Amino acid sequence: MDLTRIPGIAGSREGTKGEEAMELFEVMTTAGAIREYLDIPDSDNVLYDILDKARCAPSGGNRQPWRVLIVKDQDLRRKVRDLYSEGWKEYMAHVKKGLVPFAPAEDGTWNGPAVDLTEAAAMTTSNQYASSLHESPILLVLLARLTDLSCLDNGLNRQSIVGGGSVYPFGHNILLAARSLGLGGVMTTVICRREPEMKTLFRIPREFAVAGLITLGKPKKLFSRLTRRPVEEFAFVDVFDGVPLTH
Ligand SMILES: Cc1cc2nc3c(=O)[nH]c(=O)nc-3n(C[C@H](O)[C@H](O)[C@H](O)COP(=O)(O)O)c2cc1C
């Protein structure tokens, strides 16, 4: 991608700020989860380009705690698929009971799984994405270096959330960059249920956590406009029970 042709970039040969915003907004509002793929020709070069844009993501103290493993080996890919499927079953066992999988309680602490995970392991079905994961044109393992995370909410006696903010913007940047190139993908986290096995499999050092997987490819279906809750439902003036923001 030629950066000098992107409107609004210093030294750019064309465009205005208005055009830049439109282009970005189009990407943001259509970069939905894509789970079925066609192959990407020259995928290493494309991936390099995507990662070269995604690396501009913000992180606490700019410590850039992310690492990415590009999984090409077929045996490793099949093992990741199998571990993902196990995590997916644990996730679905909660969903089937109407529960938010692995969510903390109202006090922000986690009281252990809300379902019998051995029952979940006995589930025989998997979903289409899980069972074809190993065939994804690009399969990435996303890692975060724990010792680089400034978790400012540590010690609050609730689920920590701040640390993830130093790695998931990078993950989403990958998806946005891919979307801007006409590619689709999804970032997934059920693999984190099998972090110990993943660390052994990929020789991941102790101070790293598995933050998720990202799969990318040419989308089999057309992109569509994303649907989300309207602003009025989550943005309030001044106080939590304040007036919803409207326009
Ligand atoms: C932190 C995070 C974890 C996710 N984990 C999974 C996952 O394990 N498996 C999966 O299929 N999708 C996963 N997703 C994708 C979400 O299901 C998807 O973003 C959401 O349903 C919205 O889909 P849409 O953009 O197509 O509307 C995850 C997304 C995020 C941001």
Side-chain angles (χ1 to χ4, degrees), residues 72 96 110 122 124 159-160 179 182 186 202 229 241 247:
K72 296 190 177 193
K96 280 188 178 159
W110 190 56
T124 48
Q159 182 75 49
S160 173
R179 171 66 190 97
V186 64
F202 289 96
R229 287 188 294 139
D241 55 356
H247 67 290

Side-chain angles (χ1 to χ4, degrees), residues 101-121:
F102 301 97
E106 275 187 10
D107 68 356
T109 63
W110 190 56
N111 302 314
V115 299
D116 183 349
L117 294 183
T118 50
E119 264 180 43

Side-chain angles (χ1 to χ4, degrees), residues 5 18 41 45 56 59 72 96 106 140 155 174 184 209 211 227 233:
R5 293 183 64 80
N45 271 330
C56 296
S59 58
K72 296 190 177 193
K96 280 188 178 159
E106 275 187 10
L140 307 177
I174 292 177
T227 54
E233 282 189 23

Side-chain angles (χ1 to χ4, degrees), residues 31-33 35 84 129 168 186-191 226-228:
R35 296 185 178 84
Y84 180 96
Y129 175 71
Y168 293 117
V186 64
M187 179 161 57
T188 67
T189 50
V190 301
I191 195 69
L226 297 174
T227 54
R228 296 290 188 264

Side-chain angles (χ1 to χ4, degrees), residues 60-240:
N62 196 22
R63 273 181 291 273
Q64 306 162 52
W66 52 79
R67 302 287 187 280
V68 174
L69 306 180
I70 300 118
V71 189
K72 296 190 177 193
D73 180 85
Q74 285 304 320
D75 188 45
L76 283 174
R77 279 175 160 250
R78 277 189 292 270
K79 284 178 176 145
V80 172
R81 172 201 61 194
D82 295 346
L83 292 171
Y84 180 96
S85 296
E86 290 174 19
W88 184 81
K89 287 174 187 175
E90 293 185 357
Y91 180 94
M92 285 311 292
H94 288 77
V95 173
K96 280 188 178 159
K97 293 201 169 158
L99 301 165
V100 179
F102 301 97
E106 275 187 10
D107 68 356
T109 63
W110 190 56
N111 302 314
V115 299
D116 183 349
L117 294 183
T118 50
E119 264 180 43
M123 279 169 55
T124 48
T125 52
S126 205
N127 72 350
Q128 164 70 26
Y129 175 71
S131 45
S132 57
L133 187 64
H134 60 299
E135 291 167 354
S136 307
I138 292 175
L139 171 56
L140 307 177
V141 181
L142 180 60
L143 305 174
R145 188 164 190 243
L146 294 167
T147 46
D148 276 333
L149 301 180
S150 293
C151 302
L152 273 293
D153 56 352
N154 266 344
L156 292 180
N157 295 322
R158 61 150 175 80
Q159 182 75 49
S160 173
I161 187 169
V162 173
S166 284
V167 64
Y168 293 117
F170 167 74
H172 194 57
N173 261 6
I174 292 177
L175 297 175
L176 293 178
R179 171 66 190 97
S180 78
L181 296 175
L183 302 175
V186 64
M187 179 161 57
T188 67
T189 50
V190 301
I191 195 69
C192 303
R193 296 295 311 154
R194 294 295 178 271
E195 177 172 288
E197 293 87 341
M198 288 290 287
K199 289 183 84 163
T200 306
L201 201 55
F202 289 96
R203 304 201 295 269
I204 297 166
R206 186 157 175 251
E207 73 270 24
F208 283 86
V210 174
L213 298 176
I214 295 177
T215 49
L216 299 170
K218 269 192 178 175
K220 269 195 183 167
K221 293 180 195 150
L222 290 176
F223 293 104
S224 56
R225 192 76 47 198
L226 297 174
T227 54
R228 296 290 188 264
R229 287 188 294 139
V231 173
E232 290 80 352
E233 282 189 23
F234 62 80
F236 308 101
V237 178
D238 285 333
V239 286
F240 195 87

